[in-house]
Amino acid sequence: MSEPTPAPHPDEERLRDLLSAVPRWGRVRVLAATGSTNDDLAADARAGRAHPGSVLLSWHQQQGRGRLDRVWTAPPGAASATSVLVDVDAVPLARVPWLSLVVGLAVVAGVERSTGLRPALKWPNDVLLDGRKVCGILAERVETPTGPAAVLGWGLNLTQTAEQLPVPTATSLALAGARDVDGLVVAAAVLSELDGRLERWRQDSGELLAEYRGVCATLGREVVVHLPGGETVTGRALDADPSGRLVVDVAGRPRAFAVGDVVHLR
């Protein structure tokens, strides 16, 4: 005998209603808890159970991962973890690395739209409020029965207190001054903003690069870039190039980095 299908989370219908004007996100699931929304959605995509436009949101991510497999956790209900599946077939490979930056732009715009707060971006995949991390982003390629896709995930701190944050360099929307944080309203705002930016990403619109330059707190800063393999580079961050790479003035010569961990120097 097969196990009964669990009842949907009560927030699913409300999130669908909030996204009713955004046809892209037609497959919505909400979970009270899970290990990792990225892992769950990637597994479903590989098995053909999830398709482009799928959204998976959880109020408690128990085994969340950031870049370099860093663990991301939060008390139940104090943060949201959201992952979406995006078709990347027929998109030039050079534009795929832009997906993390596109998600960052959507989080900035969605948070401002739903709370009035104005975040900034730290290259390549962190969202900051008052210089502290409020959101991390992870984009991963996945092979599906119908072709390549990308799972785009972001974990957003909603209502944590200072004592609940894992590190002193983090913050939450509530700590940054947002009142009556409604996680579903914030999630819907981010997803709505992501919809339009994905269209511009597919069209290779230069507007995205201009928008990114306008909200990236890394540009113009003295930074240390920690590269895979252990090399570290120090210099002034000059620009983000059309491929989404960070351009740094290193001893008077520009170098472009596609990957790396960045530390802002004061």
Side-chain angles (χ1 to χ4, degrees):
M1 179 182 295
S2 62
E3 294 185 3
T5 302
H9 192 283
D11 286 342
E12 280 187 18
E13 184 175 357
R14 182 166 176 240
L15 184 55
R16 289 192 186 99
D17 287 344
L18 289 168
L19 292 170
S20 60
V22 191
R24 179 192 300 272
W25 311 122
R27 303 175 178 90
V28 174
R29 290 179 63 210
V30 178
L31 304 175
T34 192
S36 162
T37 56
N38 259 36
D39 287 352
D40 290 353
L41 194 53
D44 284 346
R46 292 187 188 100
R49 296 188 299 267
H51 307 280
S54 295
V55 176
L56 180 61
L57 182 148
S58 176
W59 297 119
H60 185 207
Q61 185 163 244
Q62 299 160 317
Q63 299 169 4
R65 294 178 295 110
R67 276 189 347 107
L68 306 179
D69 286 330
R70 295 188 178 112
V71 176
W72 182 88
T73 59
S80 63
T82 308
S83 296
V84 301
L85 190 65
V86 175
D87 179 19
V88 299
D89 199 14
V91 176
L93 191 60
R95 289 217 297 279
V96 173
W98 254 95
L99 282 170
S100 290
L101 309 186
V102 170
V103 173
L105 292 174
V107 172
V108 167
V111 166
E112 182 175 26
R113 172 173 156 184
S114 57
T115 70
L117 301 175
R118 178 63 171 172
L121 295 177
K122 176 185 171 188
W123 187 92
N125 65 338
D126 287 346
V127 183
L128 309 178
L129 277 168
D130 302 322
R132 297 176 184 272
K133 182 174 177 178
V134 72
C135 176
I137 296 162
L138 181 64
E140 301 177 286
R141 181 184 172 95
V142 59
E143 296 297 332
T144 80
T146 57
V151 176
L152 312 180
W154 58 97
L156 181 60
N157 294 338
L158 301 172
T159 60
Q160 290 101 316
T161 65
E163 294 74 24
Q164 291 173 327
L165 292 167
V167 292
T169 54
T171 190
S172 67
L173 298 182
L175 284 173
R179 297 291 180 261
D180 300 321
V181 177
D182 186 327
L184 283 178
V185 170
V186 177
V190 172
L191 287 162
S192 296
E193 296 289 348
L194 181 58
D195 174 58
R197 284 166 181 79
L198 285 172
E199 285 305 311
R200 295 200 288 277
W201 167 75
R202 285 192 175 279
Q203 298 162 11
D204 195 19
S205 170
E207 294 176 9
L208 289 175
L209 180 55
E211 183 182 5
Y212 188 81
R213 287 167 172 160
V215 297
C216 183
T218 302
L219 303 185
R221 299 281 297 265
E222 293 293 325
V223 299
V224 178
V225 184
H226 295 267
L227 300 171
E231 181 187 2
T232 60
V233 174
T234 301
R236 179 174 290 273
L238 300 175
D239 198 4
D241 72 9
S243 297
R245 298 179 301 175
L246 183 68
V247 181
V248 179
D249 183 332
V250 181
R253 298 183 60 184
R255 287 183 61 183
F257 301 100
V259 295
D261 251 9
V262 169
V263 176
H264 290 175
L265 299 178
R266 297 187 182 277

